[in-house]
């Protein structure tokens, strides 16, 4: 069997095992549970409200943004956090020592984080069935669109998280950088309000990143066709959405492995010990 394919198969198995282990750890599941619960609470309090001047439920308008945000929040932040921590505790050093170990490690991370993120999205949508009127009526086309956009969102978020985690100097700086990136993009990407309210140059910046298109794709799947009138050009722009998300996914999948390999080549027992020594000096 091809060594790379064998390592990928082992990575899939590893990701599934790590996901099951994560379910038994309150610390590992804490961020996912708290963020998902917070989003469900938002839907609960909006269930009886409507958008001013329309008959559209406020919860129905908020749900696509929450689902769209959940994917990069869990995927990107999870990849950044796990990679930066496992760089410090020696997990990456051990993976480096095994033939094709980095391939198996990366596949395992993607599988584990994908299952976790999909679980959060399913919980959100299950809550939406109770709090969002008409969600059951989106039809098979809407659910297929949601699944396709979610897949592209994961493929564009996870490699980007791996790149940020591998470039950061410490878990703290990695987490801060990832949160800053997600917060900045959320504020300009029209996830919770029409992007047309922003200045033209900010709209152009938002269009260059996947979060805007992820939110747009989710709105096209979960909201009625008439809501497209509030979007730029009065259209959901499905072709552009697919192409931009696909471009980010391909770029991330192409760039992440060599960056990870380059970072792994610099890893050694002495480098880990030096980082720990510097950390202890800062504490004392």
């Amino acid at each position: 069997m091809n060594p790379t394919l064998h390592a990928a198969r082992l990575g899939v198995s590893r990701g599934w095992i790590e996901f099951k282990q994560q379910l038994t750890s309150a610390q590992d599941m804490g961020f996912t549970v708290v963020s998902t619960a917070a989003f469900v609470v938002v839907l609960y309090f909006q269930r009886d409200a409507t958008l001013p001047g329309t008959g559209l439920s406020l919860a129905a308008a908020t749900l696509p943004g929450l689902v769209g945000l959940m994917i990069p929040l869990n995927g990107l932040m999870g990849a950044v956090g796990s990679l930066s921590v496992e760089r410090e505790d020696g997990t990456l050093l051990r993976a480096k020592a095994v033939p094709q170990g980095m391939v198996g490690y990366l596949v395992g991370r993607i599988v584990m984080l994908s299952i976790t993120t999909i679980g959060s999205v399913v919980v959100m949508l299950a809550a939406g069935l109770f709090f969002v009127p008409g969600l059951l009526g989106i039809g098979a086309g809407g659910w297929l669109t949601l699944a396709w956009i979610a897949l592209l969102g994961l493929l564009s978020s996870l490699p980007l998280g791996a790149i940020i985690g591998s470039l950061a100097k410490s878990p703290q700086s990695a987490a801060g950088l990832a949160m800053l990136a997600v917060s900045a993009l959320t504020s300009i990407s029209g996830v919770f309000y029409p992007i047309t309210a922003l200045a033209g140059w900010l709209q152009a910046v938002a269009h260059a990143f996947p979060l805007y298109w992820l939110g747009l794709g989710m709105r096209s799947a979960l909201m009625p066709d008439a809501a497209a009138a509030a979007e730029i050009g009065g259209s959901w722009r499905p072709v552009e959405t697919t192409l931009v998300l696909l471009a980010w996914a391909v770029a991330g999948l192409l760039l992440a492995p060599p960056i990870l390999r380059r970072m792994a080549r610099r890893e050694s027992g002495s480098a880990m010990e030096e980082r720990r020594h510097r950390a202890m000096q800062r504490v004392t």
Side-chain angles (χ1 to χ4, degrees):
M1 178 182 292
N2 183 286
T4 302
L5 290 178
H6 180 64
R9 287 183 58 186
L10 292 177
V12 171
S13 176
R14 171 180 177 161
W16 175 244
I17 293 171
E18 289 184 347
F19 170 71
K20 292 189 292 184
Q21 290 176 339
Q22 181 180 252
L23 293 177
T24 65
S25 171
Q27 181 177 356
D28 290 340
M29 291 297 294
F31 176 79
T32 301
V33 171
V34 170
S35 60
T36 304
F39 288 171
V40 171
V41 169
V42 169
L43 290 179
Y44 173 79
F45 284 112
Q46 293 182 344
R47 68 193 188 282
D48 296 325
T50 58
L51 288 175
T54 72
L56 184 65
S57 164
L58 183 57
T62 303
L63 179 61
L66 293 178
V67 174
L69 181 59
M70 179 73 70
I71 293 172
L73 189 64
N74 282 349
L76 190 148
M77 293 291 294
V80 167
S82 61
L83 184 62
S84 57
V85 169
E86 289 172 350
R87 180 183 177 185
E88 297 297 314
D89 66 12
T91 299
L92 283 180
L93 189 59
R94 291 190 293 272
K96 171 189 172 184
V98 178
Q100 299 295 329
M102 290 305 298
V103 173
Y105 171 81
L106 183 59
V107 171
R109 290 289 94 193
I110 290 175
V111 169
M112 191 273 284
L113 290 170
S114 295
I115 296 173
T116 302
T117 304
I118 290 170
S120 298
V121 170
V122 169
V123 171
M124 285 287 302
L125 293 174
L129 295 176
F130 294 96
F131 304 141
V132 178
L135 185 59
L136 281 174
I138 66 173
W143 293 113
L144 287 174
T145 299
L146 186 147
W148 173 241
I149 297 299
L151 174 62
L152 290 178
L154 279 171
L155 291 177
S156 61
S157 301
L158 290 171
L160 182 60
I163 291 172
I164 293 175
S166 65
L167 295 178
K169 296 183 180 298
S170 69
Q172 294 78 15
S173 63
L177 183 59
M179 184 59 73
L180 178 63
V182 172
S183 300
L185 291 176
T186 300
S187 66
I188 66 170
S189 294
V191 175
F192 298 116
Y193 52 84
I195 194 174
T196 52
L198 300 175
W201 67 272
L202 278 176
Q203 294 182 35
V205 172
H207 277 69
F209 291 94
L211 185 55
Y212 165 75
W213 299 99
L214 185 56
L216 179 63
M218 290 299 173
R219 291 193 294 275
S220 72
L222 298 174
M223 295 182 70
D225 292 339
E231 303 292 340
I232 295 175
S235 168
W236 296 123
R237 295 186 285 172
V239 175
E240 294 93 328
T241 299
T242 298
L243 290 177
V244 172
L245 290 177
L246 190 59
W248 271 91
V250 171
L253 291 172
L254 290 176
L255 291 174
I259 290 176
L260 283 173
R261 285 195 296 266
R262 181 181 177 186
M263 181 266 291
R265 283 197 296 268
R266 298 196 301 267
E267 286 299 300
S268 64
S270 59
M272 287 179 52
E273 187 60 33
E274 183 180 352
R275 288 198 299 267
R276 289 173 182 172
H277 181 68
R278 289 200 301 265
M280 290 296 296
Q281 286 183 326
R282 286 195 295 268
V283 172
T284 57

